[in-house]
Amino acid sequence: MNSFPLSRSGASDNGAVVYSGAAVTTTQRLMQPTSHQLTSAEKKAATALALVFSSRMLGLFMLLPVFAIYGSELAGFSPLWIGLAIGAYGFTQALLQIPMGWLSDKIGRHQVMLLGLGLFALGSVVAALADSVYMVTFGRVLQGAGAIAGAVLALAADLTREEQRPKVMAIIGMSIGLSFAAAMVLGPMIAARAGLSGVFWFTAVMAVLAMGLVLRTPKAINQAPQRETLAVPALLGKLLRSPQLLRLNLGILLLHFLLTALFIALPQQLLALDFASETHWQLYLPVLFASFVLMVPMIIVSVRRQQEVVFFRLALLLLLSAALLFWLGPAQLPLLATALLLFFTGFNYLEASLPALLSRQAPAGQKGTAMGLYSSAQFFGAFLGGLVGGLVASRFGLPAVFVLSALLATLWMCLTFGMTITAKAERLSIKLPHNGDEEAKALLQQLSNLPGVIEATLVLQEQRCYLKVEAGRFDYQQLQALQQQ
């Protein structure tokens, strides 16, 4: 093995260990004990960004349980346009998710977030003033154009230490789940009192308040390693051809297809059972709460017993069972409630598991690109669910939407054969000095051979090495031993 001459010369002010041959800057993590708690600044950043993200997602989700009911007074209303209006935001989200992340690198995170929230507020106003389903759909397209997920997550990475970054990302991720639950309750309540336009006015106000939060969020002094936060154009084609990543991307596409398609038909089925629209939240709230209670043990047991593929398929079986119950028991409220519980238990498990699996599967230095493709697939699934679900409902009736859902859940189950789960991994980025390409490549070889290193990627243009290491097996003190080789 080619050696790379290193000699320890001390620790820098920020805790990174500095060698004469390379500066290993993993933000205090590598060579000395660090605090396992978020700093006050990190807590404030996580809270602010979670509120920004969740307020926007709340506005996108609130239309799901109400449009099929309250949109009936709009000109041009039909099952097809129900689906298009519900899923239209996914089209522009899918198209602009990655480009808006790139733009945040050029003009700044805050500027892109303000631009995106401004577009979201504008789309909300357009939809609130609309008297036809076509203008509501156009408003939803504008809402989706405010694709700020990449910028929010990149700013979260910029404002946090590497070892605390997963906690902050988890806080933001949990806020999305909470916003969905809140949308299922607030949507019917607001629509019952202020109509469909009231829902959109509420989302416009939320967007303006979120802009105020952005202005109060600190700006980053340093940028996090870009390949772990944002997509790299040159890597898109390579990751699209990865069979394991492709399974996960198709999975999140199908999951949000099923979610959007469900709310084309379900609200009208509830109305057919004389379940007043203003009380629909009384069904959604306990069902969502119960589904979270059931989902948590599934995640814990699947990880502890290392049976993640088994529980993944179990969640798909819940989705399939739910679709069949929606189809077979539309005239019985207990069956619909049971189907809804099964659906959201499976949905919540998969929604929580898929990003974690994707993070583990993504190659070193390519997580940002993998997550960008994943997010685009997620939103494109919402668009397709609205479009195809609306077409099926208009041509064959609402029950056909559930038949389609059952077929897609079965297809997804088939796609899990050949699915593999890699060991739990952590990611490190090591900034190298400009000491020449050959020395950097020699260091890469040494790092690759350390026990517990799954992958190592050298990016000469950035003078940075990205490591993917086994959680619990990689010993950070091993890096110190490089100086003795």
Side-chain angles (χ1 to χ4, degrees):
M1 180 178 67
N2 297 329
S3 71
F4 190 84
L6 299 173
S7 61
R8 185 173 181 177
S9 60
S12 69
D13 292 337
N14 70 351
V17 176
V18 181
Y19 297 87
S20 60
V24 182
T25 56
T26 57
T27 59
Q28 300 182 338
R29 182 173 187 167
L30 300 182
M31 307 300 295
Q32 58 188 46
T34 62
S35 169
H36 294 295
Q37 302 298 321
L38 294 173
T39 65
S40 59
E42 287 171 334
K43 289 178 181 176
K44 289 179 181 177
T47 302
L49 293 175
L51 287 172
V52 168
F53 208 92
S54 60
S55 64
R56 178 176 154 280
M57 296 308 295
L58 176 67
L60 291 174
F61 288 143
M62 282 177 66
L63 196 67
L64 285 176
V66 301
F67 189 73
I69 300 170
Y70 293 92
S72 59
E73 298 178 0
L74 296 170
F77 184 82
S78 69
L80 172 60
W81 282 98
I82 293 174
L84 282 174
I86 290 176
Y89 78 93
F91 180 72
T92 41
Q93 283 278 317
L95 285 181
L96 298 176
Q97 196 67 234
I98 293 176
M100 289 285 272
W102 295 338
L103 185 62
S104 75
D105 261 352
K106 302 295 183 184
I107 67 174
R109 315 289 192 220
H110 287 69
Q111 288 82 348
V112 166
M113 290 162 65
L114 291 171
L115 172 63
L117 289 168
L119 286 171
F120 184 82
L122 177 62
S124 299
V125 172
V126 169
L129 296 174
D131 57 5
S132 71
V133 70
Y134 317 116
M135 286 304 295
V136 168
T137 304
F138 177 64
R140 292 283 282 177
V141 169
L142 284 176
Q143 283 185 324
I148 62 171
V152 170
L153 296 178
L155 180 58
D158 293 344
L159 291 172
T160 54
R161 293 164 294 161
E162 184 167 346
E163 69 272 14
Q164 299 300 332
R165 201 166 293 147
K167 293 181 184 177
V168 173
M169 297 302 182
I171 291 171
I172 295 174
M174 286 189 294
S175 73
I176 300 174
L178 292 174
S179 67
F180 180 81
M184 294 296 101
V185 176
L186 288 175
M189 291 176 69
I190 294 173
R193 289 164 175 77
L196 191 62
S197 63
V199 173
F200 286 115
W201 283 120
F202 179 82
T203 62
V205 171
M206 292 292 289
V208 173
L209 292 176
M211 293 174 76
L213 277 173
V214 171
L215 293 173
R216 294 175 61 85
T217 304
K219 293 186 177 181
I221 299 174
N222 299 309
Q223 284 194 334
Q226 294 305 293
R227 286 175 168 243
E228 292 297 286
T229 54
L230 292 174
V232 177
L235 299 176
L236 292 172
K238 177 183 176 181
L239 292 190
L240 281 171
R241 294 189 295 272
S242 168
Q244 295 302 326
L245 293 178
L246 184 60
R247 279 187 177 88
L248 298 176
N249 288 329
L250 285 174
I252 195 62
L253 184 150
L254 288 172
L255 187 62
H256 281 259
F257 183 110
L258 296 175
L259 176 68
T260 308
L262 170 66
F263 283 98
I264 293 174
L266 178 62
Q268 297 185 63
Q269 283 193 333
L270 293 175
L271 285 181
L273 295 175
D274 296 324
F275 201 132
S277 57
E278 62 270 18
T279 61
H280 284 190
W281 68 271
Q282 296 176 9
L283 172 64
Y284 296 137
L285 182 60
V287 164
L288 284 169
F289 178 78
S291 69
F292 280 118
V293 171
L294 292 173
M295 175 268 290
V296 171
M298 288 176 62
I299 291 179
I300 293 173
V301 174
S302 68
V303 172
R304 284 183 178 175
R305 296 186 179 180
Q306 297 183 341
Q307 294 181 330
E308 289 156 298
V309 173
V310 173
F311 277 84
F312 196 93
R313 290 175 181 154
L314 174 60
L316 289 177
L317 184 61
L318 293 178
L319 294 183
L320 174 59
S321 301
L324 293 175
L325 274 180
F326 281 128
W327 176 46
L328 296 172
Q332 301 178 57
L333 185 58
L335 284 181
L336 283 184
T338 302
L340 199 61
L341 177 61
L342 293 175
F343 179 87
F344 278 115
T345 302
F347 177 89
N348 289 330
Y349 178 86
L350 293 166
E351 185 80 356
S353 300
L354 281 167
L357 295 177
L358 186 91
S359 179
R360 285 159 62 177
Q361 298 282 18
Q366 300 179 35
K367 183 181 176 184
T369 308
M371 291 305 296
L373 289 171
Y374 174 88
S375 295
S376 295
Q378 177 182 17
F379 288 114
F380 192 58
F383 168 68
L384 286 180
L387 174 62
V388 177
L391 281 171
V392 169
S394 62
R395 176 69 68 90
F396 304 106
L398 294 179
V401 175
F402 299 124
V403 176
L404 173 64
S405 297
L407 291 174
L408 290 176
T410 303
L411 171 63
W412 191 358
M413 185 84 74
C414 294
L415 290 175
T416 64
F417 293 97
M419 179 179 177
T420 60
I421 305 294
T422 59
K424 288 192 68 174
E426 296 179 2
R427 295 169 182 273
L428 304 173
S429 63
I430 301 175
K431 183 67 176 177
L432 307 175
H434 295 273
N435 283 352
D437 293 352
E438 292 305 316
E439 291 186 1
K441 291 176 182 177
L443 177 60
L444 174 68
Q445 182 65 39
Q446 290 181 317
L447 290 170
S448 300
N449 290 330
L450 291 177
V453 173
I454 301 172
E455 291 180 52
T457 301
L458 176 66
V459 184
L460 292 173
Q461 298 92 330
E462 299 178 13
Q463 281 296 298
R464 187 178 291 275
C465 183
Y466 295 90
L467 296 182
K468 183 177 175 183
V469 303
E470 289 186 43
R473 181 166 178 252
F474 181 78
D475 181 3
Y476 299 101
Q477 298 296 326
Q478 293 175 111
L479 295 175
Q480 192 173 19
L482 284 176
Q483 64 181 3
Q484 301 171 356
Q485 298 180 3

